[in-house]
Amino acid sequence: MKRNIVIATLTAAALATGGTVAAFAAGDDEATATQRQTNTGAQAAADRTAVRGADVTAAEAIAAALKHTPGTALSADLDDDGATAWEVSVVKSDGTEYDVRIAPDSGKVLGAQRDTDDDNDSDDRAELAAVKGAQTDAREAALAAAHKGTVTEVGIDDDHGTVAWSAETVKGTGHGEWNVALDTGKVTQDREED
């Protein structure tokens, strides 16, 4: 009983502050604990903050980045700290990766920097190969996901055994996560299990 009161108190405190809480419960005779996570919308709030002041869409940011740094766009992400820039990851034909920053209000290129942190491991090579053979590119995935709300992030995802574009959107007070098929561009809700 005391354990349930503690869990309820922690959950209420996390909900009141807009955070995330993980509650653990274990019976006296159980050897393992079970974990439940409650997402209270903190990600949605961060995404809504990022959208403020962003007149340039994800698709427009990707197009501007590719015009400046030709190659294959792997992702575009709107900063969470007040929409200071779109960050677009571009891989050139020689395999070098660049982070191109795009102004969210004008679409101007703020700068491009070679990404030396990436190891170009087998996962990176597999994702790049999947994208190069795809019918849908990052810009088209952003356009397709825009029907579900304002896109705040788009990138390649292979967490579910199938490589697809992953997009995050905000609409009103909601936050959505979507998969966009590489071959057809079909948008489906991401139903990832915790």
Side-chain angles (χ1 to χ4, degrees):
M1 178 68 166
K2 187 176 185 181
R3 178 187 69 222
N4 291 339
I5 293 171
V6 171
I7 291 171
T9 303
L10 289 173
T11 303
L15 291 172
T17 61
T20 301
V21 64
F24 295 91
D28 293 335
D29 59 347
E30 293 180 3
T32 61
T34 59
Q35 179 180 8
R36 295 179 312 176
Q37 292 187 346
T38 305
N39 185 348
T40 61
Q43 180 64 47
D47 286 347
R48 282 191 300 279
T49 300
V51 169
R52 273 188 231 121
D55 298 324
V56 175
T57 67
E60 293 167 338
I62 292 167
L66 291 174
K67 184 175 181 183
H68 180 271
T69 308
T72 302
L74 295 181
S75 67
D77 185 13
L78 188 59
D79 285 344
D80 289 341
D81 59 353
T84 58
W86 279 101
E87 293 183 4
V88 181
S89 176
V90 176
V91 177
K92 296 184 90 167
S93 59
D94 65 1
T96 57
E97 188 172 339
Y98 286 83
D99 293 325
V100 184
R101 293 178 54 85
I102 306 295
D105 57 347
S106 66
K108 291 183 180 179
V109 176
L110 301 173
Q113 181 177 357
R114 185 173 177 179
D115 184 359
T116 57
D117 294 336
D118 238 354
D119 297 330
N120 195 18
D121 60 15
S122 62
D123 289 340
D124 292 339
R125 288 190 299 273
E127 288 175 357
L128 185 58
V131 169
K132 287 205 180 259
Q135 300 295 317
T136 305
D137 63 19
R139 188 188 69 78
E140 293 165 334
L143 287 171
H147 294 287
K148 303 295 185 180
T150 302
V151 177
T152 59
E153 183 177 341
V154 64
I156 199 70
D157 183 17
D158 66 351
D159 289 342
H160 306 293
T162 301
V163 179
W165 292 107
S166 174
E168 294 186 18
T169 61
V170 292
K171 187 174 186 178
T173 60
H175 172 262
E177 295 185 20
W178 311 95
N179 292 320
V180 181
L182 293 175
D183 55 353
T184 64
K186 180 180 177 182
V187 179
T188 57
Q189 188 169 11
D190 184 356
R191 300 196 182 272
E192 181 177 301
E193 294 181 27
D194 289 332

